[in-house]
Amino acid sequence: MKNTLFLVMDMMNDLVAEDGFSGATYGAQVRGRRVLENTRAAIAAARAAGARIGYVRVCFSADYREAPESSPIFSGARKNGIFKEGTPGTEVHPAIAPEEGDFDIVKHRVSPFYATSLEPILRANRIERIVMCGVSTNGVVHSGAREAHDRDYEVVILEDCCAGATADEHMHALACLDRYARIVKSDEFDWQG
């Protein structure tokens, strides 16, 4: 098997929990697409194959010192009091909770690479392939897949472990990403390959 890191990105309570801040949008798509169930099964398959697991979370200090006021996304976080580090909203959803030894990668922007520990983790573990999923498809997944591609990693997106705020957002993001990554259903991916 290739040295593989499975990145589970932004699957935090604020975004994906039914009672989270975005429960009516992202949360509804996550439930309708069975994203948490699919992701839980994919994590189990990855672990069984010996892949490493990394969780990416967007978090800010209580005063939002890392959040740019000019950002349409992150100024909304500040205004609505979400994505505060140390709160239940920034914890990974319990259905797919991390285990001992998994990587916790905290970010302050859309990209999982920008100013995070991801690149050192990839190098230190001699990762060749990044398998990824997350919420949102047109946000962290889109950004992460393009950057991973440009850093010469093999990139795989587990389509049924992703969601956008709407079905159209998800579909349009995937239409752009097939140039940069292999897009597969989670139960069709061969972790041993």
Side-chain angles (χ1 to χ4, degrees), residues 7-12 15 26 56-60 66-68 71-75 83 105-116 118 132-147:
L7 283 181
V8 178
M9 302 185 293
D10 289 357
M11 297 238 200
M12 311 173 325
L15 288 173
Y26 291 114
V56 175
R57 301 179 302 121
V58 59
C59 304
F60 299 104
E66 307 90 356
S71 167
I73 297 169
F74 299 127
S75 61
F83 303 157
I105 301 154
V106 173
K107 66 185 179 103
H108 305 301
R109 298 293 184 272
V110 176
S111 169
F113 284 92
Y114 183 79
T116 72
L118 180 54
M132 60 176 60
C133 69
V135 175
S136 71
T137 317
N138 58 318
V140 68
V141 176
H142 206 277
S143 179
R146 285 173 175 254
E147 284 205 48

Side-chain angles (χ1 to χ4, degrees), residues 42-83:
I43 291 169
R47 288 191 199 288
R52 302 297 307 264
I53 313 294
Y55 290 85
V56 175
R57 301 179 302 121
V58 59
C59 304
F60 299 104
S61 300
D63 62 2
Y64 292 95
R65 68 184 69 184
E66 307 90 356
E69 291 183 23
S70 61
S71 167
I73 297 169
F74 299 127
S75 61
R78 178 191 310 262
K79 182 177 85 177
N80 294 299
I82 60 172
F83 303 157

Side-chain angles (χ1 to χ4, degrees), residues 115-138:
T116 72
S117 61
L118 180 54
E119 188 68 37
I121 287 168
L122 295 168
R123 279 199 220 120
N125 291 276
R126 295 181 175 85
I127 299 299
E128 303 165 278
R129 175 174 61 192
I130 301 173
V131 178
M132 60 176 60
C133 69
V135 175
S136 71
T137 317
N138 58 318

